[in-house]
Amino acid sequence: MPRFVSGPHRALAGLLACVTIVALAPVAGAHSASAQAVMDWAPRHVGYHGHAVVTGHVISRPVGKDVSLQLSRGGASWRTIAHDTTDASGRVRYVLDSLGRSATVRLVRDGSSSSAASDSRRIGVRPRLALDVTPLHVYKNKWVKLSGHVSPDVAGRTVLVQKRAHHDWRTVRKASVGDGSFAAWMRARHTGNKRVRVKFRGDRLNSKAAEHGRVHVYRPDPATWYGPGFYGHRTACGQILSRKTLGVANRHLPCGTKVAILYRGRTVTVPVVDRGPYSSADWDLTRKTAARLDFSGRGTIGVNP
């Protein structure tokens, strides 16, 4: 015989049925949490054609789960480039080799929706810069050529050619590198060992990078050489002069001061060993120093004390 439930009892039964249905329904997001992949590490920058190590783990029951590494070059398009299975500690590890351009990466548990992907990380790839300074040793107020190459070759790119001045970098030229190569000229206005560099400011394909170099700038001064007739005698700096003595005489620099000398592309660095010269020249080279430079008689040398 069927049982009929009165109005109030019928309402209570309906409420209990609703409670039961709610209790048995899965908690929203519980599946997503169990599928969540987390990225632990990815480098911010790597060198051109370098490698990047990416690591991560899976939340909840993590052992033996398949996780994909995805990559995007921009926009919303993601491409799976590697798979790994979580180890006993629930972790995954990937190595990306020969990266030539910057990219964004993320981790996704296989079989889960993209909403369960890890946070994304951008890996900036520095371009390869090569810088050649010619000539490396130059007289003051002469021109120096800075040339080189930027990889990868991308049309429309430029680099800044800079020199170090007053504790800061000053741009002297902007050079085009549309075909990967660049060349710019800079006047050597001040003596000394000057720092120069070429700087790439970065774009969507590669991060910023710089390559450094030096140029040695010499002041032109008149010079002579001496030796025969003075061998065996003590110099003003206290040493015995001989055919093998490498050095230079100067009227004012302290004894032992190192002096870099340039003559017709040859260079040598020698100490001040004597006083002199007693003529209109500013420097007197020992015979051995003159021979190293292939310098004979009177002429102009470059000096960088």
Side-chain angles (χ1 to χ4, degrees):
M1 179 175 180
R3 291 183 61 187
F4 295 95
V5 182
S6 64
H9 292 87
R10 185 182 296 112
L12 179 59
L15 179 61
L16 290 174
C18 291
V19 171
T20 304
I21 292 172
V22 171
L24 292 177
V27 178
H31 175 72
S32 297
S34 66
Q36 181 70 44
V38 177
M39 186 177 298
D40 297 321
W41 166 258
R44 292 177 59 87
H45 296 281
V46 296
Y48 184 67
H49 277 182
H51 72 272
V53 176
V54 178
T55 62
H57 68 278
V58 170
I59 297 175
S60 179
R61 300 189 301 276
V63 180
K65 305 301 181 183
D66 294 328
V67 180
S68 296
L69 176 66
Q70 295 185 339
L71 178 146
S72 174
R73 296 289 187 187
S77 176
W78 291 94
R79 178 168 58 93
T80 298
I81 60 172
H83 297 274
D84 195 12
T85 301
T86 53
D87 60 17
S89 62
R91 299 189 177 277
V92 287
R93 182 178 186 272
Y94 309 86
V95 179
L96 304 182
D97 289 320
S98 299
L99 290 175
R101 299 187 178 188
S102 301
T104 302
V105 295
R106 70 179 186 180
L107 301 179
V108 177
R109 161 102 180 265
D110 288 357
S112 66
S113 65
S114 60
S115 63
S118 70
D119 292 338
S120 61
R121 306 280 181 90
R122 181 171 174 80
I123 303 175
V125 178
R126 301 183 184 93
R128 176 182 294 149
L129 296 181
L131 173 63
D132 182 50
V133 181
T134 309
L136 188 60
H137 301 270
V138 64
Y139 287 105
K140 180 181 177 181
N141 289 324
K142 298 297 183 180
W143 289 91
V144 178
K145 182 181 181 182
L146 287 81
S147 59
H149 195 271
V150 180
S151 298
D153 303 351
V154 178
R157 283 182 163 179
T158 60
V159 293
L160 303 180
V161 177
Q162 300 179 322
K163 66 178 181 180
R164 189 74 172 175
H166 304 296
H167 308 290
D168 199 6
W169 288 102
R170 180 178 301 172
T171 300
V172 295
R173 292 287 186 276
K174 182 183 290 187
S176 172
V177 288
D179 62 350
S181 299
F182 66 89
W185 293 86
M186 180 183 70
R187 190 185 291 275
R189 298 187 181 277
H190 304 283
T191 59
N193 302 319
K194 303 301 181 180
R195 296 169 60 188
V196 295
R197 76 176 184 182
V198 57
K199 180 181 180 181
F200 175 68
R201 291 179 290 185
D203 58 20
R204 65 183 183 85
L205 298 179
N206 293 104
S207 59
K208 63 182 180 180
E211 182 68 15
H212 296 73
R214 285 186 179 272
V215 57
H216 306 279
V217 186
Y218 297 74
R219 180 183 71 246
D221 278 341
T224 55
W225 69 270
Y226 77 112
F230 294 92
Y231 296 145
H233 294 276
R234 190 175 298 276
T235 70
C237 292
Q239 68 182 83
I240 302 300
L241 187 69
S242 72
R243 291 178 175 82
K244 297 182 179 180
T245 301
L246 277 171
V248 65
N250 182 262
R251 299 185 186 93
H252 309 294
L253 288 178
C255 293
T257 301
K258 296 292 185 180
V259 180
I261 302 173
L262 169 68
Y263 183 72
R264 294 185 178 178
R266 296 182 176 86
T267 61
V268 66
T269 300
V270 296
V272 173
V273 297
D274 208 350
R275 292 286 169 242
Y278 301 100
S279 65
S280 59
D282 294 329
W283 304 87
D284 217 356
L285 314 182
T286 65
R287 183 69 185 92
K288 184 70 172 179
T289 303
R292 286 280 184 91
L293 296 169
D294 200 18
F295 175 85
S296 60
R298 180 182 294 269
T300 299
I301 62 172
V303 180
N304 183 1

